[in-house]
Amino acid sequence: MTIIEEAFTRLYPDKDFRYDAKIKYSNHFKDYNANVKLYGNNLEFGLSRKWKSVSQEIRIGLLKELMLNLFGGKKITMNIDLYNKFIKNLHISINKSISDPILEASFERVNNIYFNGLIEQPNLIFGKSSRSSLASYEYSTDTINFSIILKKDLDVLDYVMYHELLHKKLKFKHKNGKSFHHTAEFKKSEKQFENQKEMEQRLKRLTSWRFC
Ligand SMILES: [Zn+2]
């Protein structure tokens, strides 16, 4: 049974699957977008190539949502809420293989002190040094990318680690087509870091030192 049939059968156990169905993976989609078309007896799913490395269960979930949209007669694209839901849950299925000993040690410290060890370790990498972005969390690959400048001050690294792990924990709010990452809840949590004000100052010093 193909995963399309699997998804169909789970969704409509009383119906026969009578389509000529296939999945086409392509680079034309942005991030994790997908769509489905039905012409004649042909049921064709178009999925972003990124879906290829996602676990089968989550892909079946995607196919089910697309089928619900299609056979329910609604708009034949994956709606934004579903898209966000998938993105928020994708980190579960992503392969955690990329790490760095300095970042791993920082992660252990911060996770134990501030999250009771409950955050699952994301991919942790040092990327390019940058003034505008000291670090960023990418939901779709469950990866935090840190500027190498943070190696200069491991306390500040911990503070930035805390900020990025809060993104992983709190995710984002979606309203009127916009995503909100630094919500009031986020800012309140951020202030719970020990000596937060001092850390903010040291963070500024670090970046100005680098560029003066
Ligand atoms: Zn942030």
Side-chain angles (χ1 to χ4, degrees), residues 85-195:
K85 201 163 85 186
F86 277 111
I87 292 297
K88 284 176 184 180
N89 288 308
L90 272 173
H91 69 96
I92 297 163
S93 70
I94 285 160
N95 182 7
K96 304 300 172 347
S97 54
I98 310 165
S99 198
D100 173 284
I102 294 173
L103 294 174
E104 221 162 278
S106 171
F107 168 78
E108 291 287 332
R109 287 191 295 272
V110 174
N111 193 26
N112 288 330
I113 296 170
Y114 296 100
F115 301 101
N116 296 316
L118 290 173
I119 303 279
E120 188 206 5
Q121 187 180 323
N123 289 311
L124 301 167
I125 55 172
F126 277 115
K128 282 179 191 157
S129 181
S130 154
R131 179 165 56 175
S132 59
S133 172
L134 283 169
S136 60
Y137 176 58
E138 193 180 77
Y139 293 90
S140 55
T141 58
D142 194 25
T143 301
I144 307 176
N145 195 319
F146 295 86
S147 162
I148 53 167
I149 204 176
L150 292 163
K151 285 186 183 176
K152 304 265 176 206
D153 187 336
L154 295 184
D155 293 334
V156 173
L157 171 63
D158 283 3
Y159 177 53
V160 173
M161 176 71 73
Y162 178 63
H163 178 106
E164 299 306 326
L165 291 177
L166 279 177
H167 281 308
K168 172 165 172 150
K169 184 188 172 202
L170 299 174
K171 307 293 192 294
F172 50 90
K173 305 265 182 289
H174 203 83
K175 208 178 163 188
N176 302 328
K178 281 184 180 172
S179 297
F180 298 92
H181 296 268
H182 300 117
T183 59
E185 185 192 8
F186 185 100
K187 285 173 184 160
K188 200 179 152 201
S189 300
E190 194 178 31
K191 288 200 173 83
Q192 282 162 14
F193 194 89
E194 199 185 0
N195 303 326

Side-chain angles (χ1 to χ4, degrees), residues 42-59:
N42 297 294
L43 186 61
E44 188 179 304
F45 293 88
L47 270 61
S48 157
R49 201 166 284 280
K50 284 194 172 183
W51 282 103
K52 253 193 161 166
S53 53
V54 173
S55 81
Q56 175 155 319
E57 280 305 307
I58 293 177
R59 269 185 297 154

